[in-house]
Amino acid sequence: MDGASKFVRGDAIAGILVTVVNIIGGLIIGVAQKGLDIQTAASNYTLLTVGDGLVGQIPALIISTAAGLVVTRSSSTGSNLGEEFGKQLFMNEKVLYILSGALFVMGVMLRGAFFPFFIMAAAASGGGYMIKKWKTDDQTKKDIAATRALETEERHVEPTSSVDALRLEVGYGLISIVEGSAKGDLLDRIQSIRKQFAQDMGVVVPPMSIRDNLQLKPGEYVLKLKGVAVAKGDLMLDHFMAMDPGGVVEPVDGIPTKEPVFNLDALWIHENNKELAQIAGYTVVDLPTVIATHITEVVKNHAFELVGRQEAQALLEHVQRTHPKVVEELIPKEMSLGVVVKVLQNLVKEQVPIRDLVTILESLADAVLVSKDIDHLTEAVRASLGRSITSRLMDDNDELPLITFSREIEEKLIQAVQPGDRGQGTQFLVEPGLVKKLVPAANRVVEKLTEDGISPVLLVTPMIRHHVKRLLDRFLPQVVVLSHNEIQPTLRVRSVGTIDADG
């Protein structure tokens, strides 16, 4: 209504000027023609002029109001002129209150017409009051409805499906590491971890979100996988961690602690003793390095959980651009995407790279003709990736250090393999007494070789490889288990021990 107001004010001013000019001219003419005195002529002309002014202002007011409505209509989003007119004139109590006051003033000025103007002023004021009361009641109803809706929503809270795949939560004392001067250092290390893992394993690690958690201790941090905590540590602020690699000659002063990644003995030392500890032979690392190392181990141990259908589909689409026939022949004709995901997860779980996805799919296409059992498909793929698997396990002499079971134990383990229910795969029904002897014997051999600086690999027959790996994962998860099918004929091997239940 701003346009209408401007038009009304302009027209009113013009009308007032015209009225003043008419009054002056009428007085001059009345005095000159009839010889009346100034007071009588002014009284007569005033009565006539007021009536003429009122009559003249009515069409001007209508024209001004119409022009204002047209101007306001151009910026309105409504589609109905009558609806817009009603909203702007009769749905705003302030407009009716102003109209009521104007009518009352006009009634006071025109004593003879006071009663009709008073009735109209009262009607306009009553209409404004009713509109205001209606708006208040309507808003109250809306507030009550919103409150009830909120209460209903609180009673029926549904879990959200948005969960970060990887998340790092830190106490307020570690916020400076991720938001201060060290921010680029830690974030760059996390980015390097993701790139390195993609290059080594062929798995794209999703971005890690970092949040502060006031419920944690100042130097505490928690690593979460899909919303569940899988690792945590407690760091000492403004200190460095010093670890003895075995060659320390002169110990340094520090606060004893445990390294959070591998639970090794370590010391918290002040920055002033950093150089002294390094000279003494300690391995000294800062807080971002501790966190980055922990992240690396968590990603390494749980990477198979990050390989899902969406990730597998992205890998297959990449292969399909260069080797379309390999993908078209296998999926979904011979096997579903879910079976491929299970095989990829089995490989990544045992630290087998899946970069050579073409070879993996080719092996699956051949192996699925024999059996669709997941374990069978996984072993077939491992045999095809034998060179890639063993190349990561060679020692400094380009030899593969192997340990084996005694003939008696291996025969008992082979006999423990039985057909599965309904012909699906196989079961491993090993005697509990044999497990009690086997695990300690394997642990003694592995510990002895580890002390000598050798990382042994257990070699077994293909039939029992995945069963033995699952058995040892409970007690010796660090032991790599290979089958004869994964050893290339040209590979140099070296026998370093035999596991015998009899010691």
Side-chain angles (χ1 to χ4, degrees):
M1 295 295 293
D2 292 339
S5 300
K6 293 179 181 179
F7 276 103
V8 171
R9 286 197 298 269
D11 189 77
I13 293 173
I16 292 173
L17 293 176
V18 172
T19 301
V20 172
V21 172
N22 288 337
I23 291 174
I24 296 175
L27 290 175
I28 295 174
I29 295 174
V31 171
Q33 292 183 352
K34 297 185 177 182
L36 300 176
D37 58 279
I38 295 298
Q39 184 176 0
T40 304
S43 176
N44 294 336
Y45 196 82
T46 299
L47 293 175
L48 295 175
T49 303
V50 169
D52 180 70
L54 292 176
V55 174
Q57 289 300 317
I58 291 175
L61 178 62
I62 295 174
I63 294 173
S64 300
T65 303
L69 289 174
V70 172
V71 173
T72 308
R73 170 68 178 171
S74 63
S75 61
S76 175
T77 58
S79 58
N80 190 313
L81 178 60
E83 181 180 353
E84 290 293 324
F85 182 82
K87 287 181 179 179
Q88 294 186 28
L89 288 183
F90 302 110
M91 294 304 292
N92 190 341
E93 67 275 8
K94 293 181 180 180
V95 175
L96 294 179
Y97 286 151
I98 294 173
L99 175 62
S100 174
L103 291 173
F104 181 79
V105 171
M106 292 179 66
V108 172
M109 293 177 60
L110 302 175
R111 298 178 181 178
F114 176 77
F115 188 70
F117 278 96
F118 176 77
I119 294 177
M120 290 187 291
S125 178
Y129 173 77
M130 294 299 295
I131 292 175
K132 183 177 181 180
K133 186 175 183 300
W134 176 79
K135 285 185 177 181
T136 303
D137 295 342
D138 184 63
Q139 184 63 36
T140 303
K141 292 179 181 179
K142 290 181 179 180
D143 293 340
I144 294 174
T147 303
R148 291 178 178 176
L150 180 60
E151 293 175 352
T152 303
E153 182 180 355
E154 291 177 350
R155 289 196 300 266
H156 299 84
V157 177
E158 297 182 357
T160 178
S161 59
S162 179
V163 179
D164 294 328
L166 289 172
R167 187 174 208 175
L168 172 63
E169 295 184 356
V170 298
Y172 69 85
L174 298 177
I175 294 178
S176 60
I177 295 179
V178 297
E179 292 186 352
S181 59
K183 176 180 179 181
D185 185 33
L186 180 60
L187 296 184
D188 288 345
R189 293 188 187 200
I190 294 176
Q191 184 70 11
S192 299
I193 292 171
R194 297 179 62 229
K195 290 181 179 180
Q196 190 64 38
F197 204 82
Q199 295 174 359
D200 294 343
M201 296 295 298
V203 177
V204 179
V205 179
M208 173 176 288
S209 64
I210 303 177
R211 298 288 186 274
D212 62 305
N213 188 344
L214 297 180
Q215 296 180 350
L216 299 177
K217 297 178 183 179
E220 190 176 8
Y221 66 90
V222 175
L223 290 168
K224 291 187 176 181
L225 178 68
K226 299 180 180 179
V228 180
V230 294
K232 63 181 180 179
D234 194 359
L235 308 180
M236 181 169 288
L237 305 178
D238 300 325
H239 282 71
F240 288 82
M241 178 175 286
M243 293 173 287
D244 182 3
V248 174
V249 178
E250 184 178 355
V252 297
D253 295 332
I255 302 173
T257 185
K258 288 288 185 180
E259 191 269 338
V261 184
F262 303 104
N263 200 31
L264 302 175
D265 293 331
L267 294 175
W268 287 119
I269 61 174
H270 197 267
E271 184 177 3
N272 297 334
N273 296 330
K274 179 182 176 181
E275 294 185 2
L276 181 62
Q278 291 175 336
I279 296 174
Y282 284 94
T283 300
V284 182
V285 295
D286 55 6
L287 301 187
T289 302
V290 176
I291 298 177
T293 304
H294 211 164
I295 293 174
T296 302
E297 287 301 311
V298 168
V299 172
K300 178 181 177 182
N301 296 330
H302 298 274
F304 69 97
E305 299 183 45
L306 303 176
V307 180
R309 283 173 170 79
Q310 190 65 38
E311 292 75 16
Q313 183 62 41
L315 295 174
L316 292 175
E317 290 175 356
H318 178 72
V319 174
Q320 194 169 16
R321 288 194 290 267
T322 56
H323 299 77
K325 289 297 180 182
V326 177
V327 180
E328 293 174 3
E329 182 180 347
L330 183 62
I331 303 172
K333 294 181 180 179
E334 298 297 337
M335 65 175 57
S336 64
L337 178 62
V339 175
V340 177
V341 171
K342 289 294 184 183
V343 174
L344 295 179
Q345 289 177 343
N346 287 344
L347 295 174
V348 176
K349 189 175 183 180
E350 296 192 42
Q351 305 302 313
V352 177
I354 59 173
R355 294 174 303 170
D356 191 1
L357 199 58
V358 175
T359 300
I360 294 175
L361 297 178
E362 292 279 8
S363 302
L364 290 175
D366 296 334
V368 74
L369 301 177
V370 179
S371 174
K372 293 186 179 181
D373 178 63
I374 302 297
D375 292 332
H376 165 74
L377 297 174
T378 303
E379 295 305 309
V381 173
R382 287 181 62 94
S384 300
L385 299 175
R387 184 181 299 106
S388 175
I389 295 173
T390 56
S391 64
R392 299 162 58 89
L393 305 172
M394 306 296 288
D395 61 12
D396 296 337
N397 298 323
D398 290 333
E399 293 181 338
L400 185 63
L402 298 176
I403 56 176
T404 57
F405 288 124
S406 64
R407 181 182 298 274
E408 179 184 359
I409 290 181
E410 188 149 352
E411 288 179 354
K412 290 181 179 180
L413 295 177
I414 293 174
Q415 293 173 2
V417 178
Q418 301 294 330
D421 296 337
R422 300 179 182 178
Q424 297 294 325
T426 58
Q427 302 181 61
F428 196 49
L429 305 177
V430 63
E431 297 178 1
L434 179 60
V435 176
K436 291 182 180 180
K437 296 180 180 180
L438 180 62
V439 173
N443 189 32
R444 287 193 297 269
V445 173
V446 172
E447 284 185 353
K448 177 64 169 61
L449 294 173
T450 303
E451 292 176 357
D452 296 337
I454 300 175
S455 299
V457 176
L458 178 60
L459 182 65
V460 298
T461 60
M463 183 184 302
I464 63 173
R465 194 212 69 84
H466 64 277
H467 293 300
V468 172
K469 177 58 180 174
R470 291 174 184 173
L471 175 63
L472 294 181
D473 270 346
R474 305 176 187 176
F475 313 100
L476 298 169
Q478 75 276 15
V479 175
V480 178
V481 182
L482 299 182
S483 72
H484 296 287
N485 292 339
E486 299 167 34
I487 304 299
Q488 302 297 317
T490 58
L491 187 67
R492 296 174 57 188
V493 299
R494 175 167 55 95
S495 179
V496 294
T498 302
I499 300 175
D500 191 341
D502 295 331

